Amino acid sequence: MTTTAPTAAPATELPRARPLPWLRHSLVLAGRSLAKTTRNPGPIINGVVTPALFMVLFVYLFGGSVAGSTTTYLQYLFPGILVMGAGLAGMVSTGSAINLDLKNGVTDRFRSLPISRLAPLLGSVLADIVRYLLAVAILFAIGALLGFRVQSGLAGALAAAGLAILFGFCLSWVTVFVGVLVRSAETVLAISFISFLPLQLGTSLAAPVETLPGWLRSWAEINPVTHVMDACRALLNGAPAGDTVTMTLIWCAALFVVFCPLAVRAYGRQQ
């Protein structure tokens, strides 16, 4: 009687490590948002053209009277324009895109998929980071053509750009929350532009806070956008930053911690 030696069982392949599901789903939906942007580049154009127009008008209308020369004034003004570009791009596009998805029934399709409630929101905001990068790069190019020069080298330019983009990312969660709550994209745009005026113009954008009237100075000193602009100004011009970078990071953390959970919770209730 012959015996057959037992054969070894084939080795099973180890499962491939995959990123966190919510992150993977968010990246896929970010790609969807960017694909929509290629067909409708309006938010990027608006996020670049509006700050660029402010920069040109302010420099050539007020540069001589405020700073004595347009070149000197441009060195002061450009960091604020950089923050405006990142902030405006997010404030205008993110909330309205989320609102349109809710209104057009796209959210109902997402409801049938096994994805996190966070993924559609985070995907849209991650796509905005790409838009911020494009807006910041174009604004740097326009600033260089007008005569702006970074005084702190490449590291300072990257730090200022990163800080402006980080603030834009965190600020966009406010409009995501608004976009989930209101009923129309037009209302989101109206709220965004109404908020834009005191947030972006009631700051140290065009002149130092010390030169503003008392009532406006009081607002500018507590306005988070002022801290971001002052921090970027110090980083780009090689000046002491003081506590402006720290205050900016604190504001970024506060905006994200408060409005991201609120937006996700409100979005879940819509489903």
Side-chain angles (χ1 to χ4, degrees):
M1 180 176 179
T2 59
T3 59
T4 304
T7 58
T12 58
E13 294 184 359
L14 295 176
R16 294 182 180 179
R18 306 183 72 181
L20 296 175
W22 60 268
L23 179 59
R24 187 171 68 253
H25 300 155
S26 298
L27 292 174
V28 171
L29 293 176
R32 166 186 172 270
S33 181
L34 290 175
K36 290 170 58 180
T37 301
T38 60
R39 296 190 294 269
N40 179 27
I44 291 182
I45 295 174
N46 186 62
V48 173
V49 170
T50 301
L53 286 176
F54 270 99
M55 180 165 57
V56 173
L57 290 174
F58 278 35
V59 165
Y60 292 107
L61 287 178
F62 308 119
S65 59
V66 174
S69 70
T70 56
T71 302
T72 302
Y73 189 58
L74 180 61
Q75 290 295 131
Y76 176 87
L77 180 69
F78 178 79
I81 295 296
L82 189 68
V83 175
M84 181 186 290
L88 181 63
M91 289 177 67
V92 171
S93 64
T94 311
S96 58
I98 295 294
N99 187 272
L100 285 174
D101 283 346
L102 286 166
K103 184 177 179 180
N104 296 335
V106 178
T107 301
D108 294 334
R109 299 181 183 180
F110 292 155
R111 186 192 312 171
S112 64
L113 300 175
I115 62 175
S116 167
R117 290 182 301 175
L118 174 64
L121 305 183
L122 183 58
S124 181
V125 178
L126 289 177
D128 277 335
I129 294 180
V130 179
R131 301 184 186 105
Y132 300 154
L133 289 170
L134 290 174
V136 166
I138 294 172
L139 286 174
F140 263 112
I142 296 174
L145 290 175
L146 294 177
F148 176 78
R149 297 295 179 265
V150 178
Q151 305 298 319
S152 55
L154 180 61
L158 292 177
L163 201 62
I165 291 172
L166 175 63
F167 183 75
F169 168 81
C170 296
L171 183 64
S172 65
W173 284 102
V174 180
T175 53
V176 169
F177 179 55
V178 174
V180 173
L181 290 182
V182 302
R183 295 186 176 182
S184 67
E186 292 77 10
T187 305
V188 179
L189 291 175
I191 294 174
S192 298
F193 277 111
I194 291 173
S195 303
F196 166 80
L197 293 175
L199 274 178
Q200 301 284 356
L201 300 182
T203 61
S204 60
L205 170 67
V209 173
E210 294 77 13
T211 64
L212 301 178
W215 62 272
L216 185 56
R217 177 178 178 178
S218 299
W219 163 247
E221 288 176 345
I222 63 173
N223 188 344
V225 183
T226 299
H227 298 297
V228 190
M229 290 181 176
D230 289 345
C232 290
R233 188 171 292 117
L235 290 171
L236 289 173
N237 291 322
D243 63 348
T244 55
V245 175
T246 302
M247 291 300 299
T248 297
L249 295 177
I250 291 174
W251 272 108
C252 288
L255 289 170
F256 180 78
V257 169
V258 172
F259 286 99
C260 178
L262 287 176
V264 174
R265 184 178 303 175
Y267 187 77
R269 291 174 179 173
Q270 294 288 337
Q271 299 184 39

